[in-house]
Amino acid sequence: MADELLPPPDNATPHPAVAYDAGVRLTIPHYDAIHEAVLSFIEALPEPPRTWLDTGCGTGTLVARALPRFPETRFVVADPSLAMLAVARQRLSGPRVAVLPPCGTGDLPSGCFDVVTAIQCHHYLDHRERRAAVAACFDRLRPGGIFVTSENVRPLSRTGLDLGLRYWARFQEQAGKSPSEVAAQLARFDREFFPITLEEHLRLYREAGFVAVEVLWCSYLQAVFYAVKGEA
């Protein structure tokens, strides 16, 4: 990857980005299992990816785990947060990783990759932005490439949503969050992040042009999907 893709060093890393890795495990059930499902699936592909784009990379956790498991793969990581990228840059320093300047998925520069991953990031987007983000991932895959994404998902019924939110609250309480912290997190649902149902996910990826769309892993309020771009 070209050195000019790397943003300038950031000498001040804000605390929220540093604390993200610990906090996310108190918030998202099975967070590490989601990463393992993604990595194991990509390991099972017929050929290891030569190039891999991770958009919405956060602090670089997924690629940090991928690097020793895919020794011949070159990675590009992107995120809209400068603070997150500062942590990712420190964690992922090395010749096989390029860190893009801050950008959301819909604003990614052009490229061609064997694999594109987007882990727990597109549920912050509204309908139009989400469609644009998925289209950007599709466009940056080579023919036959694989898109793998993990998202919060909306239960299919009002009853399911009510029970799902209770389940999520209990998980956070048992993980050690205070009642006020749990209430604040649940209040973000449909205000700061906007989950869609499994059915809506599958339709979105098919409409983007993917020829095969599947659910890889699901645990009530989170799911992992993969989608295959057709051969030219």
Side-chain angles (χ1 to χ4, degrees), residues 6 18 78 104 119 135 137 164 169 171 202:
L6 298 172
V18 176
I119 306 303
C137 293
F171 166 82
L202 297 173

Side-chain angles (χ1 to χ4, degrees), residues 23-43:
V24 73
R25 288 175 172 82
L26 306 181
T27 304
I28 299 178
H30 310 298
Y31 180 75
D32 290 303
I34 289 169
H35 281 193
E36 183 56 36
V38 172
L39 295 172
S40 294
F41 173 73
I42 296 172
E43 283 179 322

Side-chain angles (χ1 to χ4, degrees), residues 159-227:
T159 298
L161 177 58
D162 291 342
L163 291 172
L165 292 176
R166 290 176 65 86
Y167 162 82
W168 188 29
R170 185 171 183 270
F171 166 82
Q172 293 178 74
E173 291 166 357
Q174 292 183 323
K177 282 190 173 185
S178 69
S180 62
E181 289 173 323
V182 173
Q185 183 64 38
L186 266 61
R188 299 175 64 216
F189 195 98
D190 278 345
R191 295 182 180 179
E192 296 181 30
F193 58 91
F194 308 95
I196 60 177
T197 67
L198 287 171
E199 295 168 347
E200 290 173 312
H201 273 284
L202 297 173
R203 183 166 62 251
L204 173 65
Y205 306 137
R206 293 186 186 112
E207 290 176 352
F210 290 103
V211 297
V213 177
E214 302 288 349
V215 178
L216 175 64
W217 180 96
C218 185
S219 180
Y220 210 38
L221 292 181
Q222 283 77 37
V224 181
F225 306 85
Y226 72 86

